[in-house]
Amino acid sequence: MDLSFTPEEQQFREEIRAWVRENLPQEISHKVHNALELTRDDLQGWAKILGKKGWLGYGWPKEFGGPGWTAIQRHLFEEETALAGAPRIIPFGPVMVAPVIMAFGNAEQQKRFLPGIASGEVWWSQGYSEPGSGSDLASVKTKAERHGDKYIVNGQKTWTTLGQHGDWMFNLVRTSNEGKPQTGISFLLLDMKSPGVTVRPIKLLDGSHEVNEVFFDNVEVPAENLIGEENKGWTYAKHLLSHERTNIADVNRAKRELERLKRIAKSEGVYDDQRFRDEIAKLEVDIVALEMMVLRVLSAATSGKNSLDVAGLLKIRGSEIQQRYSELMMLAGGAYSLPLIREAMEAGWQGNFPGGNPALAPLASTFFNMRKTTIYGGSNEVQRNIVAQTVLG
Ligand SMILES: Cc1cc2nc3c(=O)[nH]c(=O)nc-3n(C[C@H](O)[C@H](O)[C@H](O)COP(=O)(O)OP(=O)(O)OC[C@H]3O[C@@H](n4cnc5c(N)ncnc54)[C@H](O)[C@@H]3O)c2cc1C
């Protein structure tokens, strides 16, 4: 196993770095470096910049309009964009549903849906979870009944991230109650502007709006929006989940946030505390270990060796690391991290909060927000079960 980069790969890194320096808007990277709230325009603005360059679908093969990069090149792209302060690419379109459409959609669907995803014009949402169907995803109840050339969809999805912006939604729907629950699920693409779709916000503790409930009341969906075969959706759903879990690990963001943690700790005077520095050091060791694991997977993929199915493992370690750095940042800020004051959150850690003190409030907000990472994309307890079965044997 060779974990060093070739001269060509180093050159590739330089090219990405130079392009990002030229093209990432400064106001967006300022927000990312200071964990300030990103608007829909920030997120979609960056997506469209990448889309124009042909890099929003940076993991796509050339035949579908992607750059056709190797696993290492994709990693270098992710690292350079994260370190430069680019927002995370909203994964639902380019990282999650696109590979399913490529692998299991027909030519017509590929022609219809992939260009809008690649350009960043069309915002996708994920309709998997329902009340009562999260870890036990195969129990989904949202029903799609076939009537001639359309499906009539009734039911409810929940925890739909950023669904308030969604144009389209990919859904797991029940099309049969025969046999095992897994064999009666289909994968349906649904226009969120269709009559009968209601998106209701789930308000978070800090007043922000990130997740939603989505209700379907006799929503008509053309049968041509069915991906693959009816009742085979479980297979497509699992294909998508491995992309989601690897994406959540996000080691490059952890590297950027580690540097931010050090800046905050130094500014708040706790960096001189040996015990606090120990915690930072332990975190840094774990981030390096996670990076090595990611590189091992990439190296195995590049050399054509069978890699372990480690998406779950990466998700567990990556999500725990995200929680630890957000906790240490909050501890470094002390009492000033706590007030959940909207103006303070918008002003950010380096901003000037009315009253004189630097506003540390987003740190507590981020800490609470990061609790989600060990739940979404399949909870870590359930991932441990999967790792125990598939990796440990
Ligand atoms: C912020 C956020 C954003 C999300 N975004 C989306 C989205 O955009 N689209 C979407 O479809 N879903 C989304 N989800 C839903 C997410 O995938 C589910 O919350 C997750 O799968 C867990 O399901 P649940 O909430 O129903 O919890 P449950 O399945 O009810 O689990 C409750 C607890 O029991 C534990 N548990 C359950 N089964 C087992 C088991 N077999 N062994 C051991 N422990 C077990 C779990 O680990 C958990 O601690 C999001 C969730 C959050 C929190």
Side-chain angles (χ1 to χ4, degrees), residues 59-85:
W60 298 14
K62 278 197 173 138
E63 59 174 307
F64 291 112
W69 287 339
T70 63
I72 303 276
Q73 287 174 315
R74 295 200 294 270
H75 173 76
L76 294 172
F77 171 81
E78 286 169 2
E79 184 170 24
E80 286 305 316
T81 47
L83 295 181

Side-chain angles (χ1 to χ4, degrees), residues 364-381:
S365 177
T366 307
F367 165 78
F368 287 121
N369 192 289
M370 285 290 132
R371 302 304 96 192
K372 69 190 176 188
T373 63
T374 46
I375 301 170
Y376 67 16
S379 77
N380 282 19
E381 290 79 11

Side-chain angles (χ1 to χ4, degrees), residues 92 125-137 157-162 210-211 244 369 371-382 385:
F92 306 112
S125 296
Q126 179 182 23
Y128 272 29
S129 307
E130 298 179 4
S133 302
S135 304
D136 182 17
L137 190 58
K157 296 292 171 182
T158 194
W159 303 118
T160 316
T161 299
L162 301 177
E210 184 176 314
V211 280
E244 179 177 10
N369 192 289
R371 302 304 96 192
K372 69 190 176 188
T373 63
T374 46
I375 301 170
Y376 67 16
S379 77
N380 282 19
E381 290 79 11
V382 171
N385 288 345

Side-chain angles (χ1 to χ4, degrees), residues 228-263:
E229 286 178 54
E230 198 175 88
N231 298 327
K232 293 275 166 63
W234 188 248
T235 309
Y236 318 144
K238 284 194 299 185
H239 182 77
L240 182 147
L241 283 173
S242 69
H243 288 272
E244 179 177 10
R245 287 173 189 153
T246 310
N247 184 258
I248 289 172
D250 212 351
V251 65
N252 299 309
R253 178 162 65 146
K255 284 166 72 177
R256 182 188 71 220
E257 293 302 300
L258 176 70
E259 293 313 308
R260 180 161 167 260
L261 167 63
K262 289 178 186 169
R263 289 205 308 276

Side-chain angles (χ1 to χ4, degrees), residues 84-360:
R88 288 189 78 207
I89 290 175
I90 300 297
F92 306 112
V95 179
M96 286 162 63
V97 76
V100 171
I101 296 174
M102 289 176 206
F104 306 107
N106 58 37
E108 190 50 45
Q109 290 167 335
Q110 290 165 351
K111 214 164 89 198
R112 180 167 166 217
F113 292 111
L114 293 177
I117 300 177
S119 67
E121 296 289 334
V122 181
W123 190 300
W124 284 79
S125 296
Q126 179 182 23
Y128 272 29
S129 307
E130 298 179 4
S133 302
S135 304
D136 182 17
L137 190 58
S139 70
V140 288
K141 290 184 193 59
T142 292
K143 204 161 63 170
E145 282 176 307
R146 181 92 186 231
H147 290 268
D149 59 357
K150 53 185 166 254
Y151 287 96
I152 306 296
V153 180
N154 281 289
Q156 183 196 344
K157 296 292 171 182
T158 194
W159 303 118
T160 316
T161 299
L162 301 177
Q164 69 269 33
H165 305 316
D167 299 308
W168 279 80
M169 188 164 178
F170 54 90
N171 287 282
L172 294 186
V173 291
R174 182 146 305 282
T175 37
S176 166
N177 288 308
E178 304 288 315
K180 285 197 332 188
Q182 286 84 347
T183 56
I185 293 174
S186 299
F187 197 102
L188 201 58
L189 310 182
L190 183 149
D191 183 346
M192 292 184 77
K193 307 287 182 305
S194 309
V197 178
T198 306
V199 181
R200 194 184 291 165
I202 300 174
K203 278 273 176 199
L204 301 184
L205 267 180
D206 63 8
S208 63
H209 177 189
E210 184 176 314
V211 280
N212 301 270
E213 296 177 289
V214 181
F215 298 87
F216 307 118
D217 181 12
N218 285 320
V219 180
E220 290 188 9
V221 180
E224 67 200 30
N225 292 5
L226 176 78
I227 293 289
E229 286 178 54
E230 198 175 88
N231 298 327
K232 293 275 166 63
W234 188 248
T235 309
Y236 318 144
K238 284 194 299 185
H239 182 77
L240 182 147
L241 283 173
S242 69
H243 288 272
E244 179 177 10
R245 287 173 189 153
T246 310
N247 184 258
I248 289 172
D250 212 351
V251 65
N252 299 309
R253 178 162 65 146
K255 284 166 72 177
R256 182 188 71 220
E257 293 302 300
L258 176 70
E259 293 313 308
R260 180 161 167 260
L261 167 63
K262 289 178 186 169
R263 289 205 308 276
I264 294 174
K266 283 175 190 162
S267 157
E268 294 303 309
V270 290
Y271 200 72
D272 299 329
D273 179 333
Q274 186 61 50
R275 288 168 73 186
F276 198 87
R277 260 213 325 270
D278 282 350
E279 293 305 314
I280 297 180
K282 278 192 263 177
L283 176 68
E284 185 152 7
V285 168
D286 284 344
I287 291 175
V288 172
L290 179 65
E291 188 177 23
M292 287 301 126
M293 192 153 81
V294 169
L295 292 175
R296 274 181 59 196
V297 173
L298 297 180
S299 166
T302 309
S303 59
K305 288 198 196 110
N306 278 342
S307 75
L308 292 172
D309 180 11
V310 293
L313 215 52
L314 294 176
K315 196 260 162 177
I316 294 169
R317 294 305 283 158
S319 56
E320 288 173 351
I321 283 172
Q322 287 162 30
Q323 295 192 338
R324 278 167 61 201
Y325 64 65
S326 66
E327 182 170 3
L328 288 173
M329 282 178 193
M330 183 178 69
L331 291 176
Y336 288 111
S337 304
L338 283 173
L340 291 173
I341 301 169
R342 207 75 215 142
E343 293 82 344
M345 284 160 50
E346 277 154 21
W349 171 63
Q350 291 178 343
N352 286 320
F353 181 58
N357 285 319
L360 288 154

